[in-house]
Amino acid sequence: MSLVSATPSEIITGDSTSLAQLVIDVQQRRTSQRRCAPSLANRALEAVLAEDAGRLDPAHPDSIFTLEPRLAAGEGVPFLPRERLLTPAEQRTVIERFARAVATGQLTSGPAVARFEAALADFLGLPHAVATGSGTDALITALRAVGVSQGDEVIVPANSFAATENAVWACGATPVLADVDPVRHTLDPAQTQAVITSRTRAILPVHLYGRFADIPALVGLARRHGLSVVEDACQAIGVTGVGVHSDAAALSFNPYKNFGLTGKAGAVVTRDTELAARVRKLAYHGFDPEQKNVKDETFGLNTRIDNATAEVALGLMPRLTLNSYRRTFLAKRYLDCLGDLEPHGAAVLPAFVQDHSWHLFGLQVAAGREVRDAVRAHMRSLSRVETDIYYPVLTHHQQTPLHRKLFAHVSLPSTERLHSTVVHLPLHNNLSLAEQDRVIEALHAAFRATH
Ligand SMILES: Cc1ncc(COP(=O)(O)O)c(C=O)c1O
């Protein structure tokens, strides 16, 4: 569906498709009568829409983007400022919610856990959410729940965070690497098919940077070969389709994520009732949830989300989709302002697609690694703008003895080409327009100096 074809009166569900559409509508000044679906995650966005939808536009005098401090001359732009991951209002909410949990003494298990899981499932439109101690543990419990065990192989991309492969190792299985689609940066179905063996048990695609992998094709492939699919959606909360086609998806709420909390946390989301029940047991010592300390599984971790963290999550959830809107708007603004770099072939920009959470904004410096590094150095030294290469070492280039033994002869041309040219620009929930302008200016100056 074309982004400009939807009618402006549609209900905003808060998923990535609806937010991408809202960004286009705001840019085209077509926001009247827009309303959100009634979900806790939509509360702050709904409040802005009800009061004055024009505030979603930076041009509005009371815009949600102009409430931030201005940048002083010569001030730099950090890649991810830790002290600004949460707004002052969000910080106050955290303290108030945490105090509430402390006062009850219900710090580990408690009623906020089930309430948070229900709110999360409701927002995602899925029947089950099981909240865990981290995204990594969500991946481990989901893989174990679909039956991955000792001696199995699980197909993963090589360009993800180490948690993806570590979850496979933690099950006693071996990660097998497949190359990625050069546009999405996510597992290529044909390359995935090429590495299936009799030992393959599951496929673990990663929605890298927040861009949805080709899940329908990967699930089709998996079904033909009797395999399971667990999505690593740790960077992709709210992306349309997460958890809909696969066996399960793992989310992360660590402080650096789009929906970041004040510690480590994650969740497994699924449509499968039995699988959700198995994850629940595997996340708490293998116990039968109906009986105290009675085992129903041989083994389980101790990784249910803490009640105190779930309280915090419930407190922060009302801003989830407003924050996602901000990221989506800022990503579109990067694309609009950097588009002139593309026709000359100097840069390759990501497409403004509907199935993206914009966890990271990566672009390719087409001239290769050395020019990419020179661009970054120029931005840092002349403009004090920090960029990043988020995962600096690909899985098959890690140097542990086992990595060397297993992956020495692995060649992944698309993964390697993308990795040698990618640069990540600052993009977080509270990036200001002034900061973004500084990044855009610095990138243009760096391209002029290096090309
Ligand atoms: C792609 C990916 N997978 C897994 C994880 C692990 O999540 P967590 O840090 O919550 O364990 C992360 C985040 O760190 C991630 O970005």
Side-chain angles (χ1 to χ4, degrees):
M1 183 180 77
S2 150
L3 274 177
V4 289
S5 68
T7 53
S9 61
E10 273 176 16
I11 292 287
I12 299 162
T13 59
D15 72 342
S16 61
T17 301
S18 67
L19 296 178
Q21 180 64 52
L22 182 60
V23 166
I24 300 285
D25 290 343
V26 167
Q27 286 191 325
Q28 298 180 352
R29 309 265 154 86
R30 315 189 302 164
T31 48
S32 60
Q33 295 162 19
R34 309 261 357 227
R35 281 289 175 269
C36 286
S39 150
L40 183 63
N42 284 338
R43 213 167 266 175
L45 181 58
E46 175 60 24
V48 174
L49 286 173
E51 184 195 293
D52 179 1
R55 292 186 56 223
L56 297 173
D57 184 345
H60 191 282
D62 189 23
S63 155
I64 61 161
F65 292 99
T66 49
L67 300 172
E68 296 133 349
R70 304 226 168 272
L71 254 193
E75 202 177 326
V77 181
F79 183 72
L80 204 54
R82 289 187 187 179
E83 70 287 0
R84 284 201 287 132
L85 290 177
L86 297 174
T87 63
E90 285 172 326
Q91 292 177 24
R92 285 193 294 278
T93 299
V94 167
I95 290 163
E96 186 244 301
R97 290 292 180 139
F98 195 72
R100 192 184 291 187
V102 171
T104 66
Q106 292 177 303
L107 294 165
T108 53
S109 58
V113 173
R115 284 189 2 247
F116 171 55
E117 290 177 339
L120 184 64
D122 170 63
F123 166 58
L124 298 173
L126 293 168
H128 307 288
V130 183
T132 56
S134 70
T136 308
D137 286 353
L139 286 168
I140 295 170
T141 49
L143 287 174
R144 292 187 82 110
V146 298
V148 173
S149 65
Q150 193 79 33
D152 289 338
E153 291 178 353
V154 177
I155 301 173
V156 299
N159 55 1
S160 184
F161 182 52
T164 310
E165 58 159 311
N166 282 346
V168 178
W169 297 120
C171 296
T174 303
V176 170
L177 306 176
D179 209 353
V180 297
D181 171 327
V183 175
R184 291 178 193 250
H185 297 228
T186 61
L187 275 184
D188 179 326
Q191 299 295 327
T192 303
Q193 180 161 20
V195 296
I196 292 175
T197 72
S198 58
R199 294 171 62 200
T200 309
R201 183 73 191 74
I203 303 173
L204 178 48
V206 180
H207 304 311
L208 198 74
Y209 311 154
R211 173 89 201 253
F212 197 54
D214 189 354
I215 293 298
L218 290 165
V219 168
L221 175 67
R223 299 296 175 245
R224 290 197 294 282
H225 289 82
L227 310 174
S228 300
V229 176
V230 172
E231 297 167 62
D232 182 336
C234 286
Q235 302 186 352
I237 190 163
V239 171
T240 313
V242 163
V244 173
H245 311 281
S246 67
D247 294 282
L251 302 171
S252 168
F253 315 126
N254 82 33
Y256 306 106
K257 293 293 188 275
N258 294 29
F259 179 53
L261 305 182
T262 44
K264 293 173 186 178
V268 176
V269 295
T270 179
R271 284 173 304 123
D272 184 330
T273 306
E274 279 176 29
L275 193 133
R278 232 172 298 140
V279 169
R280 231 171 257 284
K281 292 178 207 162
L282 288 166
Y284 193 54
H285 295 295
F287 289 149
D288 176 349
E290 305 303 325
Q291 304 184 71
K292 185 164 181 267
N293 292 10
V294 177
K295 276 196 153 188
D296 202 31
E297 296 270 348
T298 317
F299 167 82
L301 298 168
N302 178 15
T303 188
R304 293 287 275 137
I305 196 172
D306 286 331
N307 188 58
T309 307
E311 268 293 353
V312 168
L314 285 164
L316 293 178
M317 206 168 187
R319 267 185 73 93
L320 202 167
T321 59
L322 184 64
N323 283 334
S324 303
Y325 168 81
R326 288 179 61 104
R327 279 183 186 262
T328 310
F329 191 96
L330 291 167
K332 179 71 168 53
R333 195 162 177 269
Y334 267 140
L335 293 171
D336 292 343
C337 296
L338 297 174
D340 59 313
L341 296 174
E342 260 195 325
H344 309 297
V348 180
L349 301 175
F352 187 66
V353 289
Q354 303 178 355
D355 50 1
H356 208 315
S357 68
W358 301 102
H359 176 60
L360 290 170
F361 187 94
L363 62 94
Q364 313 298 132
V365 179
R369 185 190 298 271
E370 281 168 25
V371 178
R372 187 270 313 268
D373 293 346
V375 165
R376 294 189 64 211
H378 191 280
M379 291 175 77
R380 188 182 318 114
S381 59
L382 266 83
S383 312
R384 300 185 55 219
V385 169
E386 293 294 339
T387 61
D388 201 18
I389 299 162
Y390 214 60
Y391 301 129
V393 183
L394 295 169
T395 299
H396 58 307
H397 295 158
Q398 297 284 1
Q399 291 300 312
T400 77
L402 191 53
H403 282 82
R404 282 216 293 270
K405 180 173 156 217
L406 282 181
F407 305 128
H409 303 294
V410 169
S411 163
L412 303 166
S414 288
T415 305
E416 289 159 21
R417 194 169 49 253
L418 292 171
H419 186 254
S420 67
T421 55
V422 77
V423 53
H424 293 111
L425 305 184
L427 178 61
H428 53 88
N429 289 352
N430 297 309
L431 182 76
S432 72
L433 293 172
E435 286 179 307
Q436 188 179 38
D437 286 341
R438 187 73 55 86
V439 177
I440 291 162
E441 233 173 75
L443 189 68
H444 276 123
F447 267 82
R448 279 195 301 276
T450 54
H451 285 75

